[in-house]
Amino acid sequence: MRRPNASKPPGDPANRSGGHDAAPLYAEVALPLRLAQTYTYRLPLALREDACVGARLLVPFGRKLLTGYVVALHEGLDADSGLADSEVKDAEEMLDAEPLLTPEVLEITRWISDYYAAPWGEALKAALPAGLNSAVEQYVSITAAGRDELARLPPRRAVTAKAQLLRLASLSEALALRDAARELGQAKAAKAARELERAGWVTITHRARTAQARAKRRKAVRLLPPDSAATDATRKTAGEPDAGGVSRRRQAASGPDGLTEAQRRVVGALIEGGGELLFAELLETAGVGASVVQTLERRGLVEVYAREVRRDPLAGARLPERDEFQLTEAQAAALSEINGSQARGEYAAFLLHGVTGSGKTEIYIRAMREALRHGRTAMMLVPEISLTPVFSRRLRAHFGDAVAIFHSSLTTGERFDEWRRLRNGEARVVIGTRSAVFAPVSDLGLVVVDEEHESSYRQQESPYYNGRDTAVMRALKERAVVVLGSATPSLETFQNARAGKYRYLRLPDRIAGRAMARAEIVDMRDAFRRAGRPEVFSPELLEAVEETHAGGHQSIILLNRRGYSSFVLCRSCGERYNCPNCDVTLTFHRSERSMVCHYCNLRQRVPEACHACRGPFIHFVGEGTEQIEEILRKKFPALRIARLDRDTTARRSHYEETILSFGAGELDMLVGTQMIAKGHDFPNVTLVGVVSVDAGLAIPDFRAAERAFQLITQVAGRAGRGDAPGRVLIQTYLPHHYALRHACAQDYEAFFDEEIRYRRNLNYPPFVALASLLVHHEDHVRVEATAGTLRRALDEANSDRACRVLGPAPAPLARLRGEHRVQLLIKSRSRPRLRALVEMATAAAAATPGCDPNTVNVEIDPVSLM
């Protein structure tokens, strides 16, 4: 085992088989496991000529076969590795003739591994579409001795699992153990296979399962010259017939040449279609049956073949008109700065700080156009899948099929096709969520990170990485320009701009001189005193809704809690209904009459009586989007209201349809969570109501105030983007909180100055580097023991006290998905010292008996401490 040689980067030609005078003998492989190191394998003679860096390689690891990723090739063993040739295992199979991972992707994933203390193999696996990560399967083949044993078995006797497996294996050359498990059960099939192998009655082999994602092929028909044989025509490129062929085709379609009426309709449809059509489309267009086409094929007039078909995520989508706006003076100045750096071909990082509605997207598009003009590629990251429909349509309107879309809600086939178009250079612009930072584009010229402050850019499972920071580093490595855009930049980004690390570009005004929406705080304590009970909506907000729609305008109501009620309790004894797997209450969802855990997705029926005291008084407390939608429908029955949250957007198309309908004026009001708060441009929206932000301010996280400020400012920016002025009403029981005051004034700099003082005084980012070590397991004793081991290892490695270690202590969510969770935090003013401490301590703890490194999540620069 060894770490990669830093002096020879993965993409270096010397690491490719073609760059060697002799074929490489050894491959350095990163495995998708919680392991820091890479492993060296010997390449059998049959694999040496085809070996290449960036390809997948099937290798033995322990008693299993795993799919690894070749990160380097070597002609001999490194003397520093300490490996003897006898210790090196042979690789099994090269899975790719051409590398799937480009040098750029290998380089950025290596950086992720080093910076975030993440396994390189897991980062490489995350960089490929899910359908390209092959699994390894076990196959069972019966031996001659096994067939003899099977013949001796009584045919009608109740058989054991071993006998059943032996019979199944006799029916095929190689039986996938996965298929046998469907009949016998996973545990029984695995146990029976091992016992049969020991007896010599079967052999067990491992093979890489074919990747799920493949090019889609459909039957198509192309028109051939009447005097050409079909076998000759197969060598012609579709859509490139000679001039004489076209003439003869027209004669075949119109002249008396023995064709029936149905056959002439087929030929005519093909001519109109440019010479070829999909088989099903041709039958529908010509109004004929398949036999007519088959007759033409026998006569040598047409050829039926399999054609590759692209699965386009935007197929049939309505594209917006391609508008060309006159840039404001501030927009033109910002674009000039960005394009100047592009023209020089140098790395540059910009913070584009523009108020909502200031025209940041127009700058993005024009900067992308400039990148393409220079022959380079462009990448745009958005924080959430919900923003891709609007942005991808707009980019497609400007750049056509040069745009590829990249996010996890696409089907496996769509992701594969879009990835391949980027890999082959057919697409030169990519838009997507954080995983799009791994898009296999070459000659990258521009990277745009929209809404750069969003926490969703952070991957919440291993490998833990931040898409925004990774995008900045990828731009640096490829000498590209990166633009971080936001109306409410993260404190870290704004501090970097103040320190000169990023160049600061300001858009202080909305386009067309439109005024910012007027924001007001509604003190719900007064509403409570007036009504004598808690109210969901204040009279001010209800009156504003009525006035807004009487004037023919639209409104948005935000509540960042889904479901109907926040929790359920018994009014007789006070018993609350908590999730048995997580330290949270269950949320009542009225539409399905169930209580749901929003962390582990556990669902329970609502009880008719309390399980503790048997009392009948089950009470639902708090509001969610489902309840406020119901209240608003009752109060305003004439309004066309739609709700958008994770419960209503299970289908990808539902979100897109709702947003497009609202934008077209087919809906009057949109109710939803934070997914409706940013990125959208609805000119007819003049009212935004924020029902409650108090719960977000109470979260035990040092970023709680920053998130509340950003959410309110962003959703307030949806109002008043047209000709009519906008109004924002913010309901709260904490009217004097500084985050709400500054959000109401839409004064980012004032909020930054106040918040940054708290961060400085309490030693939180951006003034220190932060790491979180979270220990999780079902066994609480084991969690405590591992956390104690980690703390001792940290103290020993931190002998100079250059870092401050806090904990172990229960995490804010002390139990999640059935696992207990204990957290340690590390702060340091030296980022290299922090990473060195984490690496030394986790390695020392992993070597301690009883400490399982798989139970420890290491996060560098965590965005949430929950």
Side-chain angles (χ1 to χ4, degrees):
M1 66 184 68
R2 47 177 286 143
R3 289 294 294 167
N5 186 346
S7 64
K8 190 178 289 186
D12 193 285
N15 276 337
R16 300 175 180 275
S17 59
H20 290 264
D21 294 332
L25 300 178
Y26 302 94
E28 191 173 336
V29 177
L31 297 172
L33 301 171
R34 293 283 188 93
L35 298 168
Q37 68 268 26
T38 55
Y39 290 81
T40 300
Y41 288 90
R42 185 186 299 105
L43 291 170
L45 187 61
L47 303 184
R48 291 177 190 171
E49 290 299 327
D50 296 328
C52 53
V53 171
R56 295 168 302 158
L57 186 66
L58 197 63
V59 296
F61 187 80
R63 299 179 62 183
K64 299 180 179 179
L65 285 182
L66 297 176
T67 300
Y69 308 93
V70 179
V71 297
L73 296 170
H74 306 286
E75 294 180 13
L77 292 175
D78 190 339
D80 296 334
S81 68
L83 282 175
D85 189 70
S86 58
E87 299 175 303
V88 179
K89 295 181 179 180
D90 283 352
E92 291 284 333
E93 183 182 353
M94 184 65 66
L95 299 179
D96 305 307
E98 296 291 335
L100 296 181
L101 296 157
T102 64
E104 295 84 2
V105 172
L106 283 165
E107 186 66 20
I108 197 61
T109 52
R110 184 171 68 170
W111 176 82
I112 286 175
S113 175
D114 292 339
Y115 184 89
Y116 291 106
W120 194 4
E122 287 195 346
L124 290 167
K125 182 178 181 180
L128 290 174
L132 288 179
N133 286 303
S134 297
V136 178
E137 284 195 307
Q138 287 182 307
Y139 286 83
V140 178
S141 300
I142 192 168
T143 63
R147 292 191 183 278
D148 292 341
E149 175 62 21
L150 183 61
R152 289 193 289 270
L153 284 175
R156 295 188 178 277
R157 195 181 73 185
V159 294
T160 63
K162 288 195 297 183
Q164 287 179 283
L165 183 60
L166 205 57
R167 283 200 175 95
L168 290 172
S170 70
L171 301 176
S172 62
E173 184 178 341
L175 170 70
L177 197 59
R178 171 171 57 105
D179 296 334
R182 293 195 187 101
E183 292 193 30
L184 307 179
Q186 184 67 43
K188 282 186 177 181
K191 182 181 178 183
R194 290 193 299 270
E195 292 176 354
L196 290 172
E197 184 184 35
R198 282 196 294 269
W201 295 336
V202 300
T203 58
I204 298 177
T205 56
H206 296 78
R207 299 181 193 172
R209 190 197 309 169
T210 305
Q212 301 169 13
R214 296 180 180 177
K216 183 178 181 180
R217 309 183 77 84
R218 291 181 62 185
K219 190 157 69 168
V221 183
R222 69 160 62 100
L223 195 58
L224 300 176
D227 56 353
S228 300
T231 53
D232 294 333
T234 57
R235 292 192 293 268
K236 293 183 179 289
T237 303
E240 297 180 0
D242 59 26
V246 173
S247 174
R248 287 189 293 273
R249 291 177 190 186
R250 296 197 181 275
Q251 291 174 9
S254 57
D257 53 3
L259 296 184
T260 66
E261 177 60 30
Q263 291 169 346
R264 278 198 290 272
R265 288 203 305 272
V266 169
V267 174
L270 286 170
I271 291 172
E272 293 300 319
E276 61 179 287
L277 287 172
L278 292 174
F279 194 90
E281 183 182 351
L282 175 62
L283 298 186
E284 183 178 353
T285 302
V288 300
S291 60
V292 178
V293 179
Q294 291 165 357
T295 301
L296 289 173
E297 184 182 26
R298 285 195 298 270
R299 294 183 59 178
L301 296 178
V302 302
E303 178 191 11
V304 179
Y305 68 104
R307 188 174 87 184
E308 200 168 292
V309 179
R310 174 188 167 197
R311 289 156 288 201
D312 184 1
L314 289 182
R318 292 179 295 172
L319 299 182
E321 293 184 8
R322 179 176 168 175
D323 296 322
E324 291 293 343
F325 301 100
Q326 180 69 37
L327 296 184
T328 65
E329 186 176 331
Q331 283 178 307
L335 182 62
S336 177
E337 288 271 339
I338 295 168
N339 286 349
S341 293
Q342 290 201 75
R344 291 188 290 274
E346 63 183 18
Y347 162 76
F350 295 92
L351 168 58
L352 182 61
H353 183 192
V355 299
T356 54
S358 58
K360 294 185 290 293
T361 304
E362 186 65 23
I363 294 178
Y364 301 157
I365 290 173
R366 298 196 187 201
M368 289 180 186
R369 190 177 298 152
E370 183 71 5
L372 298 187
R373 192 178 71 81
H374 285 289
R376 305 189 74 179
T377 56
M379 174 186 295
M380 181 176 182
L381 303 186
V382 294
E384 294 183 5
I385 293 170
S386 61
L387 294 177
T388 55
V390 174
F391 280 117
S392 57
R393 282 170 167 79
R394 191 164 175 186
L395 292 184
R396 180 68 65 84
H398 281 269
F399 303 113
D401 281 343
V403 177
I405 304 167
F406 214 74
H407 58 74
S408 59
S409 276
L410 302 182
T411 66
T412 300
E414 287 172 340
R415 291 191 77 188
F416 174 75
D417 285 357
E418 296 295 88
W419 178 88
R420 194 171 54 156
R421 291 176 63 234
L422 290 165
R423 184 72 177 83
N424 296 339
E426 296 172 26
R428 300 174 61 205
V429 177
V430 57
I431 177 173
T433 49
R434 61 175 175 267
S435 61
V437 76
F438 300 121
V441 294
S442 58
D443 202 8
L444 186 62
L446 177 73
V447 182
V448 172
V449 184
D450 190 42
E451 309 291 2
E452 63 81 27
H453 63 276
E454 283 293 331
S455 60
S456 51
Y457 279 120
R458 178 75 186 206
Q459 172 90 346
Q460 293 301 322
E461 59 186 16
S462 186
Y464 299 96
Y465 70 92
N466 190 306
R468 174 200 63 199
D469 298 341
T470 304
V472 172
M473 186 54 59
R474 183 163 182 184
L476 173 64
K477 290 178 176 295
E478 300 185 42
R479 298 181 62 81
V481 172
V482 59
V483 179
L484 309 178
S486 178
T488 55
S490 68
L491 265 72
E492 290 87 347
T493 298
F494 197 75
Q495 181 72 3
N496 281 337
R498 282 195 168 181
K501 186 174 180 181
Y502 299 154
R503 290 154 70 177
Y504 184 66
L505 304 175
R506 183 81 167 105
L507 302 179
D509 303 307
R510 284 184 162 181
I511 57 175
R514 297 188 179 104
M516 299 294 292
R518 176 169 54 90
E520 308 165 32
I521 289 179
V522 179
D523 190 342
M524 293 303 287
R525 298 174 301 178
D526 293 338
F528 179 83
R529 282 192 290 268
R530 293 196 300 265
R533 64 180 186 275
E535 292 285 352
V536 177
F537 295 105
S538 64
E540 293 89 339
L541 181 54
L542 293 175
E543 184 180 341
V545 169
E546 194 167 348
E547 291 176 356
T548 297
H549 295 285
H553 299 297
Q554 295 169 293
S555 60
I556 289 176
I557 305 296
L558 171 76
L559 173 61
N560 206 24
R561 284 197 304 270
R562 59 192 177 103
Y564 190 88
S565 295
S566 304
F567 62 95
V568 183
L569 59 77
C570 172
R571 279 201 284 201
S572 297
C573 68
E575 178 73 12
R576 293 200 309 176
Y577 285 81
N578 294 327
C579 175
N581 304 318
C582 311
D583 276 348
V584 294
T585 56
L586 296 172
T587 301
F588 173 54
H589 287 249
R590 187 168 183 170
S591 60
E592 55 186 83
R593 295 297 303 175
S594 65
M595 301 182 297
V596 181
C597 175
H598 288 168
Y599 288 90
C600 71
N601 206 34
L602 175 134
R603 279 171 159 75
Q604 290 184 353
R605 302 299 298 173
V606 178
E608 295 182 1
C610 174
H611 61 71
C613 72
R614 308 310 301 169
F617 304 110
I618 302 299
H619 186 51
F620 304 99
V621 183
E623 304 84 31
T625 50
E626 188 180 353
Q627 184 175 163
I628 65 171
E629 179 195 17
E630 179 184 281
I631 295 171
L632 288 166
R633 286 187 184 278
K634 289 179 179 177
K635 290 186 177 294
F636 305 101
L639 295 188
R640 297 165 297 176
I641 301 174
R643 172 166 58 95
L644 282 179
D645 54 33
R646 287 178 60 187
D647 298 319
T648 64
T649 55
R651 287 188 302 111
R652 187 178 85 195
S653 60
H654 177 79
Y655 179 89
E656 299 179 17
E657 291 164 2
T658 304
I659 287 293
L660 292 173
S661 295
F662 189 68
E666 298 166 4
L667 297 169
D668 300 310
M669 178 185 287
L670 206 54
V671 175
T673 55
Q674 51 84 28
M675 66 169 58
I676 65 173
K678 49 190 170 285
H680 304 297
D681 188 5
F682 303 122
N684 198 38
V685 171
T686 59
L687 174 68
V688 167
V690 181
V691 174
S692 175
V693 294
D694 300 343
L697 289 169
I699 292 174
D701 192 313
F702 71 93
R703 287 192 172 91
E706 181 184 8
R707 291 199 186 101
F709 172 85
Q710 290 167 341
L711 179 62
I712 294 172
T713 305
Q714 290 287 338
V715 75
R718 300 315 107 200
R721 297 170 78 98
D723 297 329
R727 186 183 182 194
V728 183
L729 295 179
I730 305 164
Q731 297 186 167
T732 178
Y733 286 93
L734 302 169
H736 303 298
H737 195 287
Y738 69 96
L740 304 188
R741 284 190 291 104
H742 295 311
C744 193
Q746 301 197 50
D747 190 342
Y748 176 84
E749 284 80 2
F751 170 76
F752 175 86
D753 290 338
E754 190 161 353
E755 177 70 9
I756 206 74
R757 286 199 299 272
Y758 291 115
R759 301 283 185 92
R760 183 184 290 109
N761 294 337
L762 296 174
N763 278 323
Y764 275 113
F767 299 103
V768 297
L770 186 66
S772 167
L773 275 62
L774 184 73
V775 186
H776 58 95
H777 196 270
E778 295 174 358
D779 186 344
H780 186 260
V781 174
R782 184 172 178 178
V783 168
E784 293 286 352
T786 300
T789 301
L790 269 174
R791 177 64 200 240
R792 289 188 293 274
L794 286 166
D795 288 340
E796 290 175 10
N798 191 34
S799 56
D800 59 357
R801 297 297 182 263
C803 302
R804 185 183 179 193
V805 181
L806 304 174
L813 283 173
R815 193 158 178 266
L816 191 64
R817 301 182 185 93
E819 293 187 327
H820 299 277
R821 306 163 83 239
V822 170
Q823 191 175 55
L824 297 99
L825 294 179
I826 309 168
K827 297 179 179 180
S828 178
R829 294 191 178 275
S830 168
R831 187 173 295 279
R833 184 72 185 89
L834 175 86
R835 291 202 299 270
L837 174 62
V838 169
E839 188 172 330
M840 287 188 291
T842 51
T848 304
C851 182
D852 182 1
N854 290 319
T855 65
V856 181
N857 292 346
V858 177
E859 287 194 64
I860 306 296
D861 300 339
V863 298
S864 173
L865 300 182
M866 295 297 288

